[in-house]
Amino acid sequence: PNNGALNFDGYYKGDATVVVPVGWKVHVAFRNNDGMLPHSLLVTKPFAEQDLPQLLGADKVAIPRAYTVSPEEGIPAPKTDTVDFTTGDPGKFFFICGAPGHAQSGMWIHFNVDANARAPVLIVATGAEPGWK
């Protein structure tokens, strides 16, 4: 229920960062558990909070094939999709929902490709564990 269900596994508004190494093969098992709203996942460039788009489609993806099906419409619950891609150059990105208004409502977290990383890691902002907000 965090952020009115506009979250990724409880995290939203950038309060978590997924870090993976350069050249890492990423596999995301995406499942929408929100019975009220469709959701999607895209890897995009980072946005300033005031510049978060109303709607995001595959044309906004920063890493090839790093998005779920129907990113603008989202996937209804309890449907699933898999997102498989390989990271390239180091950089900072967002995991973000492309459905109308969801990014502006806080459904985004950080995704970093790090040249110094040796394994994937989740970094959580202090006090941001699911259920704290």
Side-chain angles (χ1 to χ4, degrees):
N2 288 351
N3 196 37
L6 295 170
N7 66 76
F8 292 107
D9 285 346
Y11 303 107
Y12 60 96
K13 288 190 178 181
D15 64 3
T17 303
V18 175
V19 180
V20 298
V22 170
W24 197 263
K25 292 182 181 181
V26 177
H27 172 80
V28 177
F30 182 86
R31 179 183 184 93
N32 182 3
N33 289 320
D34 180 355
M36 297 186 312
L37 297 171
H39 296 291
S40 65
L41 174 105
L42 300 93
V43 175
T44 67
K45 69 173 188 167
F47 294 93
E49 198 160 351
Q50 68 272 11
D51 297 330
L52 286 164
Q54 172 68 22
L55 183 73
L56 291 115
D59 61 322
K60 299 294 185 199
V61 172
I63 299 174
R65 186 44 194 122
Y67 62 96
T68 56
V69 296
S70 305
E72 298 97 338
E73 295 86 21
I75 298 169
K79 299 217 179 200
T80 63
D81 191 17
T82 57
V83 179
D84 293 294
F85 61 93
T86 302
T87 61
D89 294 331
K92 295 184 179 204
F93 305 93
F94 275 4
F95 275 159
I96 195 165
C97 183
H102 290 200
Q104 292 176 333
S105 295
M107 196 169 179
W108 58 272
I109 60 172
H110 300 277
F111 175 69
N112 294 349
V113 178
D114 189 326
N116 296 315
R118 298 293 168 244
V121 65
L122 175 67
I123 301 169
V124 178
T126 302
E129 286 76 5
W132 281 37
K133 293 185 179 182

